[in-house]
Structure formats: structure tokens, C-alpha cells
Amino acid sequence: MIAVFDPRQAAHDPQFFLSSGAPQPCPEKPDRAQALLEAVTQLGLTVKQPTDRGVAPIEAVHPERYLTFLKNIHQRWQRIAGASAEVIPNIHPDHRLVGYPASAVGQAGYHMMDTSCPIGPATWEAAYASAQTALEAADLVRSGARAAYALCRPPGHHAFAELAGGFCYLNNSAIAAQSLTGQGARVAILDVDLHHGNGTQGIFYSRGDVLTVSIHADPVRYYPFFWGYATETGEGAGEGVNLNLPLPRGTGDHGFLAALDMALGRVADFAPTHLVLALGLDAFEGDPFAGLAVTTQGFARIGQAIAALGLPVVIVQEGGYLCPELGQNLDAVLRAFL
């Protein structure tokens, strides 16, 4: 298995986010990528940089208006007298079927759903490199690899087509899936991150050609709060093609693996040719977000169960934050695909 990583991703260095109204140091730091990179190196994987495939495969998921915003908003923001060093919205519309403002402040509120996605001077470059990383891994799998690991940072599964949120700007898992679908594959996305993959769900919610499945902490009292309920099954052509499996806070290996069995059964019923695994490692019992309680051994069993499907798998890194076992948890999953 080949791992893909672009060092430009380290340039994005968000300083803080608001949690329950209080400013906190942002946990989505460049050191995350370094810890994960050390793990794949120690595992003996070849690490390659992605080829730049341009913006077209990203535009297949994210409209040009949104990409223009991400590219230019930091520079525009700095022209505002007294502006913060990072772009952080202070106003949001109640929905997006409204007028589109020309103001930098208005556009920030339109395109940023929360205060967990600050945009700094290198955010666009890093997010673009992260998307190219996912595309490279998708092409490796499409070309015959059993699995490929995309070390994507910043992550992507909270990003909707025109909305950043939850440390995410471009939806790497969706971009990888769309790339495969555009070349004739039938794709399922399985998200095992602690948090619901609300952006991924939103992108495919009305489509019947891509199955989206997410196992996550119950949003009734956990981020992202408004998405991730079991009643959300898709709409229109996508009805029945979205499955959410919310878990009580503190769920450990047994409960997570039981939900995974249900998820894999739904994936098998969909009969995909390829799987995109949105790999969050923040369900770990020692992760700073402390929402679920999966062990390192549990991650090994998660990897083994997914590998047993026998599908070509694009493994896209989502969450998982700095703790001593972060690299060990990645190693536990990836070993199942060697």
C-alpha cells in the first residue's frame, strides 16, 4: 500500500477556535500530520507526493464561487480596519436561499458554518494540497491498488459544497468518491470519525449513485448537532442511500463494532465496486475530544472488518487529534490492508 502526502498541508496553522463560547487553541495543528506521517513511515509504507490534477475534479464537488472565496478571502479580510488575523465569521444567514453579499464579512458568514474553520494565509494552499492527496489515492486504487492511504490535512468531511466547518474546507472524501464515480465506479463512503460526516452527507443526500454511511457520537448533545440522526435517509433520488448510526457518548469497542457490522451489511447490499473510508481516529478513548471509547485493539478490528469486504479502498484521513497513541491507532487500521 502507498501513502500519499503533500508537505504543503503543514502550512495551514489555525490558532484558535471557539468552544462553548470560549476561545481555545485549535487542535487541528500541523503536528497531527507529522505524527501520522511518522506512523506510516515506521510501518514501511512508500510515501509519495500527489500529482497536481488541477481544480476541475474539485469543482465537480465544490462550485467555483466557493473556491474563489477560499482562495481570496484572507487577503480581502486583511483590508478591513481592525480585522482579526484569521477569517472568523460573526454573522450567518438563517438559510442559504438568500441574497449573496459582495462584502467579505457577509461572504464569510455565508460560506463558514461555524467558528471552527478559521482561514489563515496558507489555508487555501493546504486545503488544495489535501484534496490533491485524496485524488492521488483514488487514482492509485482505480488503477488496481487494493488500498491507498491519503494523509489529508486539513480534513474534509464537515465541508458541504459551499460551506466550510469543523476544521474542514474541501471535502476530500467526497472529491475522491466523485472522481471514482466519474470514471464509472460504483462508490460507497463509510465514515468512522467520532463526528458525523455532515458535509459528505449533504453533498450526496439527493443522489442515488453514492452510498453514504456514518458511525458517530449521537448529535443530540454533540457536534455537529443538527445532522447525523438516524431519521436522515436521503431525499429524492437519494432516498434510502444515506445511513446514520449514532452512538451514545462513551461507546466502546463492542458497541462501535456492532454498528460497524450494520454499516458493512448496508455497504454489501449496495454492491459498490470501490469504498472510500473516511478514517477518523478521534473515536479513540484517549482522544482530546473524548466522545467515544474505542481502543487501539478496537481500531485493529475495525480495519480487519472493513478489509474483509474485499473491496478496493481509498482511505482518507479525517479527524484524530494529538495524543500519544495517535500513530498507533493509524498503524492498527492500516495493517489490515497490507
Side-chain angles (χ1 to χ4, degrees), residues 12-303:
H12 171 62
D13 190 9
Q15 295 303 298
F16 80 96
F17 75 120
L18 292 181
S19 178
S20 301
Q24 304 285 346
C26 184
E28 208 296 283
K29 302 294 289 180
D31 288 349
R32 288 184 62 234
Q34 186 59 40
L36 296 167
L37 185 61
E38 289 174 3
V40 298
T41 301
Q42 291 173 10
L43 188 56
L45 301 188
T46 298
V47 180
K48 68 170 298 188
Q49 293 191 32
T51 300
D52 191 335
R53 288 162 172 77
V55 76
I58 301 173
E59 287 180 330
V61 171
H62 297 285
E64 187 276 336
R65 176 175 72 175
Y66 176 59
L67 300 183
T68 297
F69 164 80
L70 289 178
K71 291 175 191 175
N72 300 322
I73 187 58
H74 185 264
Q75 182 179 15
R76 294 170 59 203
W77 192 261
Q78 298 312 305
R79 300 189 193 118
I80 302 171
S84 56
E86 298 173 303
V87 180
I88 301 173
N90 57 270
I91 186 170
H92 301 276
D94 67 330
H95 57 82
R96 264 73 188 175
L97 299 176
V98 291
Y100 187 70
S103 158
V105 173
Q107 288 183 9
Y110 189 94
H111 289 300
M112 302 169 74
M113 78 174 81
D114 57 39
T115 57
S116 300
C117 51
I119 296 176
T123 298
W124 165 252
E125 179 184 27
Y128 179 86
S130 190
Q132 296 297 332
T133 296
L135 286 166
E136 182 75 35
D139 272 1
L140 286 168
V141 170
R142 182 187 59 80
S143 299
R146 179 191 180 197
Y149 171 61
L151 204 178
C152 291
R153 189 259 157 199
H157 73 151
H158 294 308
F160 288 74
E162 281 202 281
L163 273 174
F167 311 144
C168 302
Y169 307 89
L170 299 176
N171 195 309
N172 304 310
S173 292
I175 290 167
Q178 180 60 41
S179 173
L180 290 167
T181 300
Q183 298 180 72
R186 182 170 173 84
V187 179
I189 303 174
L190 172 60
D191 191 322
V192 298
D193 192 275
L194 166 64
H195 305 92
H196 176 247
N198 54 331
T200 309
Q201 172 178 292
I203 287 166
F204 296 107
Y205 203 63
S206 299
R207 291 172 51 170
D209 60 331
V210 175
L211 173 69
T212 48
V213 180
S214 181
I215 306 169
H216 50 272
D218 193 330
V220 70
R221 294 185 184 277
Y222 208 72
Y223 187 91
F225 298 110
F226 311 109
W227 306 268
Y229 295 87
T231 52
E232 298 160 13
T233 58
E235 64 183 11
E239 177 59 46
V241 194
N242 185 81
L243 175 64
N244 288 326
L245 297 166
L247 301 175
R249 290 281 294 274
T251 295
D253 292 353
H254 179 76
F256 198 100
L257 290 164
L260 182 62
D261 283 344
M262 296 176 61
L264 296 180
R266 181 65 185 94
V267 170
D269 289 344
F270 187 72
T273 60
H274 294 74
L275 179 70
V276 173
L277 174 59
L279 179 61
L281 298 169
D282 43 1
F284 178 58
E285 60 184 351
D287 187 88
F289 281 101
L292 297 175
V294 175
T295 67
T296 299
Q297 295 74 24
F299 278 112
R301 293 173 65 187
I302 289 168

